[in-house]
Amino acid sequence: NSVTQFLSQRDTLTRTTDTRNDSKDVTINLDATVRYFKDFKKRNRKLMMRYNFLGNDVNNNGTLFTADTNALVHTQNFLFDQKKEGRSNSMTHTAYADYFEPLGKRIKLEFEYEFYQNNSTQRKTTLNPYNGEYIDIDSIFSNQFKTDRMQNRGGAFFIYENNKLRISVGTRVHHININNRNVFNDSLIN
């Protein structure tokens, strides 16, 4: 909170600006990972798997208030008075598997696969006062988005290695599907 006074070259008060902003945030995060490693009886045959979940939820509320007054004629130049409400959440799942199959002492194959999925929402609501209560939605400064993303990725590699050298030749392919929706005005963004 602050009040700023503007003076002329002759130290006459010409304008004052009163600013009062506040904000409160509550955030919850969860991150969990499970890993599995398997060494088979055949030397250098391995399986590695991992699953990760990441979730977060954020709530924030606040007010923005600025009043600018002409001190010479005691009129208000502008008034900006709004309440902000926001919420965002996200859930991400990632699963990964990597398998090694030895073909000889120095040669092996590697196969990998990854699945990724993220679902997130974001809502920002701006409210203007009406009869002393913040109930009038300001559509210019309000929005709501929902985003869904899914990715599949796989790969295969031929590997040669000795004590001094490692050569890996292979390929990866992936497919990504993204859906972005502006819920506030019901439009698709792709």
Side-chain angles (χ1 to χ4, degrees), residues 64-167:
L64 303 172
F65 178 88
T66 301
D68 189 87
T69 305
N70 183 325
L72 298 174
V73 292
H74 302 290
T75 58
Q76 196 166 67
N77 295 330
F78 66 86
L79 174 66
F80 191 76
D81 185 8
Q82 291 183 321
K83 181 178 180 181
K84 303 276 188 182
E85 297 174 347
R87 174 137 195 206
S88 66
N89 57 45
S90 176
M91 289 193 309
T92 303
H93 303 272
T94 306
Y96 179 81
D98 201 5
Y99 175 74
F100 294 91
E101 179 63 40
L103 300 177
K105 186 176 179 181
R106 293 188 161 99
I107 298 172
K108 61 184 167 184
L109 297 176
E110 177 185 6
F111 302 96
E112 67 177 25
Y113 174 74
E114 180 181 60
F115 173 78
Y116 172 89
Q117 181 178 17
N118 175 270
N119 306 101
S120 62
T121 60
Q122 174 185 305
R123 177 180 47 86
K124 293 187 180 203
T125 306
T126 302
L127 302 166
N128 295 316
Y130 180 77
N131 289 335
E133 294 184 60
Y134 292 101
I135 57 173
D136 180 33
I137 294 177
D138 189 325
S139 62
I140 294 173
F141 296 110
S142 298
N143 60 57
Q144 183 174 352
F145 296 97
K146 180 172 180 16
T147 303
D148 298 313
R149 176 183 171 146
M150 185 171 66
Q151 174 178 310
N152 290 283
R153 184 184 77 176
F157 302 90
F158 176 84
I159 301 168
Y160 171 84
E161 59 187 346
N162 61 31
N163 293 339
K164 297 182 180 186
L165 178 69
R166 183 178 200 268
I167 298 172

Side-chain angles (χ1 to χ4, degrees), residues 162-190:
N162 61 31
N163 293 339
K164 297 182 180 186
L165 178 69
R166 183 178 200 268
I167 298 172
S168 176
V169 177
T171 187
R172 285 189 179 107
V173 294
H174 70 272
H175 176 264
I176 300 173
N177 184 26
I178 301 173
N179 184 12
N180 294 311
R181 177 166 295 282
N182 182 335
V183 179
F184 196 73
N185 66 13
D186 195 30
S187 65
L188 200 59
I189 307 164
N190 281 330

